[in-house]
Amino acid sequence: MVADALVYHPTVAHYLRFVATTVGRDKLLRTLQYFSRFYAWYLYRTNNPERIIAPFEAIKKQFGLTRKCLRIGKNVEHFKAAATAFDNTTMDPVLKYCAVGRQLGYAMYLSLDTVTYLDASGIRPMASAKRLQREAYKAWFTGLMFNTISGVYLLWQLRQREQSIDKKDGEGVVESKKIQRERNSTNLQLISDLCDLTVPGAALGYANLDDGIVGLAGTLSSLIGIWGAWKKTA
């Protein structure tokens, strides 16, 4: 039967594994949140009435608040990852300290983000909420910068490795293909990080970007995140 074919299709099983992960659900919500941010800006710029814009403003706000709630407690994971990276004696020094900086930046961001959730949700209004949110954005920006530096350094390392192999040799061909896969993965992560930098960068005033650019950049990085999470649950 058609119904059975659909229910037991491998893609359905894959989808269920995907949405069963916190990362999968978060990336879906994030995509809708940032696309709504872009689309609300677009509707406003094209002089649409408030009643048309309001649903997308609501999606942007409510999905953002939902994701903020889902992130509570995740700071511990990043503090642990920073300690693990710091204790790693075999890692390349540049990558090691970039990993420590990235994880500490994310950990501080999520710690401050948790505190501001109390104000954003109305549980406990705080006069210092805006200042704390600004500090959270600074921490996120710092973490992303460390990851960007790490990505650029990795690409340089891959280029050095590629120049040292003999592509006429069988092992060299295998190594070349491996390097290409690593380069593609690094490039994708670098694009995602550069897109994400627009969010705290605009919020902190480091770059004069409107909601249209930030929304599109956030949507792109979210789609990259969905693709990565989808592959991991294959």
Side-chain angles (χ1 to χ4, degrees):
M1 294 177 64
V2 175
D4 287 340
L6 290 174
V7 169
Y8 294 107
H9 196 279
T11 304
V12 175
H14 188 177
Y15 167 77
L16 292 174
R17 291 194 300 272
F18 173 76
V19 296
T21 64
T22 303
V23 173
R25 294 193 300 273
D26 176 71
K27 296 303 180 184
L28 286 174
L29 289 173
R30 192 178 193 270
T31 302
L32 294 172
Q33 176 194 352
Y34 278 99
F35 179 76
S36 295
R37 181 171 181 171
F38 159 74
Y39 200 55
W41 170 87
Y42 171 77
L43 291 173
Y44 175 77
R45 290 295 299 268
T46 51
N47 298 316
N48 282 272
E50 181 62 29
R51 62 182 177 79
I52 301 296
I53 302 172
F56 297 98
E57 287 286 354
I59 290 173
K60 178 183 74 173
K61 180 179 179 180
Q62 295 303 323
F63 282 20
L65 191 60
T66 300
R67 292 183 58 243
K68 191 185 282 278
C69 180
L70 291 173
R71 291 194 296 265
I72 294 176
K74 192 172 173 58
N75 56 334
V76 178
E77 174 188 332
H78 291 283
F79 278 123
K80 181 181 178 181
T84 302
F86 184 78
D87 291 336
N88 192 324
T89 57
T90 60
M91 189 183 294
D92 180 286
V94 175
L95 296 178
K96 174 179 177 176
Y97 290 109
C98 280
V100 172
R102 176 180 74 248
Q103 297 296 347
L104 286 177
Y106 292 167
M108 288 304 301
Y109 163 65
L110 291 168
S111 298
L112 293 167
D113 194 58
T114 297
V115 177
T116 60
Y117 173 76
L118 298 174
D119 177 82
S121 62
I123 295 174
R124 185 176 180 180
M126 295 180 293
S128 59
K130 287 186 177 180
R131 179 179 62 81
L132 290 174
Q133 188 62 63
R134 185 173 177 82
E135 294 302 317
Y137 278 132
K138 286 180 181 179
W140 185 19
F141 187 89
T142 301
L144 287 170
M145 283 301 299
F146 273 113
N147 212 32
T148 301
I149 293 168
S150 176
V152 172
Y153 181 74
L154 268 173
L155 290 175
W156 176 80
Q157 277 193 327
L158 291 172
R159 184 179 179 184
Q160 296 299 111
R161 279 172 55 192
E162 191 173 39
Q163 290 176 348
S164 66
I165 63 174
D166 182 6
K167 295 184 180 180
K168 295 179 181 179
D169 180 63
E171 291 184 3
V173 173
V174 173
E175 181 67 14
S176 179
K177 290 181 179 179
K178 181 181 177 183
I179 289 172
Q180 188 57 48
R181 287 195 298 269
E182 290 180 25
R183 181 183 288 116
N184 291 340
S185 176
T186 303
N187 279 330
L188 201 61
Q189 183 59 53
L190 192 57
I191 292 170
S192 178
D193 290 335
L194 291 173
C195 287
D196 282 342
L197 276 169
T198 63
V199 183
L204 293 168
Y206 296 162
N208 185 23
L209 303 174
D210 56 38
D211 271 5
I213 294 174
V214 174
L216 281 177
T219 301
L220 177 56
S221 68
S222 300
L223 290 172
I224 291 173
I226 285 176
W227 173 243
W230 182 262
K231 287 197 298 182
K232 287 181 180 179
T233 54

